[in-house]
Amino acid sequence: MTLMNMVQSINSALDIKLEEDPKVLSFGEDAGLEGGVFRVTENLQKKHGEERVFDTPLSEAGIIGSAVGMCMTGLRPVAEIQFSGFVYPAYDHIISHAARMHNRTRGRYDMSMVIRMPYGGGIKAIEHHSESMETLFAHVPGLKVVIPSTPYDAKGLLISSIESDDPIIYMEPKRLYRAMKQEVPDGKFQIDIGKAKIVQEGSDITVVSYGAMMKEAREAAILAQKEGYSVELIDLRTIYPLDRKTVAESIRKTGRLLSVTEGPSFSGIGSELVTLANEEAFLSLEAPPTRLAGFDTIVPLPKGEHFYFHTADRILYEVEKLVKY
Amino acid sequence: MFTKYHPTKGEMLQILSPEGKIINTKFQPEISTEKVLQAYKLMVYTRTVDLKTVSYQRQGRMYTYAPNFGQEASMIGTGFHMNQEDWLVPSYREMGAFFHRGVTPTDIWLYWGGHEDGAKFPKATNTLPISVPIASQIIHAAGIGYGLKLQKQKGIVYTYFGDGGTSEGDFHAGLNFASVWKAPVIFICQNNQYAISLRQEKQMASSNIAIKSLAYGMPGIQVDGNDFFACYSATQKAAQHIEEGKGPVLIEALTYRRGAHTTADDPSRYRSKEEEKIWEEKDPILRLKRYLVAQKLWSEEDDTKLTQQYEEEVEAEFLEYEKYPPYELNDVFQYLYNTMPDDLVKQKQEYEKYLAWKESRS
Ligand SMILES: Cc1ncc(C[n+]2csc(CCOP(=O)(O)OP(=O)(O)O)c2C)c(N)n1
Ligand SMILES: [Mg+2]
């Protein structure tokens, strides 16, 4: 066990897989020599060589398009997109090829790639560096979407993602990169993709969140406790495939659902969770299943971003409304 | 000029040597002494604002910022040629070209200080905001060029991008569209030899960037990007080429980013102090100053006075900027659509209710 932040635990997962499996590669813009702009891949090039850990030219389409080709030769690329806001030139290759190839070729070619990208706000960055657009991937058939919220989960989930034969979108909450440290095993371990985690048990309301918003959700659960509301807090960890069973059982128990997500509200993951509550727990509901999501606006630049990103007391406000409903 | 410096020859246009001597009289631009002085002052002004902004960032009075230090000739040597009716389609490292258009330091600070008002430029015309997604603006330039041509409007589009930007598909699409349309666009690559940490040799296998123009049937030229005269001269020729109806031109200005990529970057991770030293000697402002002083058009005393004057002006403007009105909730919502959809009206109201609740508890 070592005390690690998320940057270190992701680095450790990559290091272990690069060491263990010669077919694993790690690459992206500034992801070789420099070790990535957030230093997530630091020292990996030195250790595993320039052929397997490298800088690419500045083209996201190039990065993901070539990863598609690499997968066809049996490699297992882990491609880094520098910020999720710059993934769009690669979106065609993700949707039109990575997500479809296995189905199109009737299982002949595995798209055994992981696409890593920091996402989300809260670091006072300029345009295109603060968005949470996981919905754009979760909506696409053929992709799996994983978002960790702790150093421990980040490592276990990344190892599972690299070992998965399906294409995985692995989104890293950049605000949490260095926000906390945790004891993480030095060796290899996996966390199942598609399994949510009950972070805290409770009886009045189920709060479901993931990624960067877990921090505020945890704080809100503590505030709620003080107000006398018992929150059951679930960290989805995988957005797709959604762990319907864990979420449904919890809502049936508490009778209430609040989803807390960072990105825009419309057609968001919150909408899915509310639907799930209706489909799986309707007869147990004590209050309308509710989503707290971002405004359907562009994330404001830093001077205005405090309006956009949920705080713990905004979550408490929604919890209180539902418990008192 | 485009024949003499054809990019297959691998020869770079240089007019002013690093020592400040004219070494190439044949391709000297047509420009009055008065204008050269004006351009020099703009270069000094740009550097003053740039260095001050970096220090404000260090003091925590500004968010992450992308410095322009060292690229003043490449941005002003090309951008200074813009007339009122021309268009500036920038990336994010062309502050001198912005100032030439009437953008103010306050606009620049608003943007990098985290306020959307910094993309509006109330005092400048035909000037697009900073474009962060690399190379995307290059295609917009082609579209503006088409718009001007179709509507028989005057004007040339000046679009800027970096060496890294040439790797994106948008670079190809932009040059291809503009050349097929013979659109009035000057494509200006500020080749500062790095894309964050990646050196040019790892970015591309081609010997230079100007040579990429051949694939689009347009002239291309590599110029010394730290040489004001070379930059200005090539731009003047490119504008003539366009005015003769012959379509777009690609200029590669070979320069060096003396500062960090952004204030969040540490160049010592990917380049040496020795290399930085070499480029310090080739500094564009130093070079033009040496020339002006040798011509007796300028003196060290003038220079000290000017720098001091600019420093005072910039500091005073920054203090004013810091009094800018606070960001309001409505600023998040009001410009997204021409008429706010009900959904947004509701989200804003919900937020106001939450604020009232919060208020009631404190
Ligand atoms: C599409 C896209 N991908 C990645 C980035 C992140 N990024 C910002 S600047 C930069 C390097 C750009 O290098 P270059 O084009 O040479 O311009 P310079 O910064 O050197 O002026 C990168 C990769 C981005 N802004 N947009
Ligand atoms: Mg560059």
Side-chain angles (χ1 to χ4, degrees), chain A residues 30 34 39 42 50 55 57-60 127 227 295-296 300-304 307 311 313-314 317 320, chain B residues 63 111 113-114 116 167-168 195-197 202-203 269-270 321 327 329 336 344 347 351 354 357 361:
Chain A
D30 305 284
E34 163 119 319
R39 314 286 181 249
E42 183 148 42
E50 275 188 50
D55 292 309
L58 209 177
S59 165
E60 291 73 18
E127 293 176 282
E227 302 287 329
F295 302 134
D296 288 316
L301 287 183
K303 287 242 163 68
F307 291 120
T311 52
D313 69 6
R314 175 75 204 266
Y317 166 70
E320 187 173 277
Chain B
Y63 297 119
Y111 186 81
E116 285 81 357
S167 290
E168 292 278 9
I196 311 186
S197 68
K202 298 214 164 182
Q203 187 69 249
R269 293 175 73 93
Y270 53 81
Y321 150 78
Y327 206 103
L329 180 61
L336 194 59
L344 288 190
Q347 286 173 16
Y351 194 82
Y354 151 68
W357 170 86
R361 285 163 52 93

Side-chain angles (χ1 to χ4, degrees), chain A residues 29-30 58 60 82-83 86 89 129, chain B residues 71 92-93 132-134 161-165 168 190 192 194-196 257 261:
Chain A
E29 293 158 12
D30 305 284
L58 209 177
E60 291 73 18
Q82 197 162 81
F83 286 89
F86 304 133
H129 291 71
Chain B
Q71 299 185 202
Y92 48 81
R93 215 185 292 282
V132 176
I134 299 296
F161 47 92
D163 42 309
E168 292 278 9
Q190 289 201 79
N192 60 13
Y194 286 88
I196 311 186
R257 153 166 71 68
H261 171 71

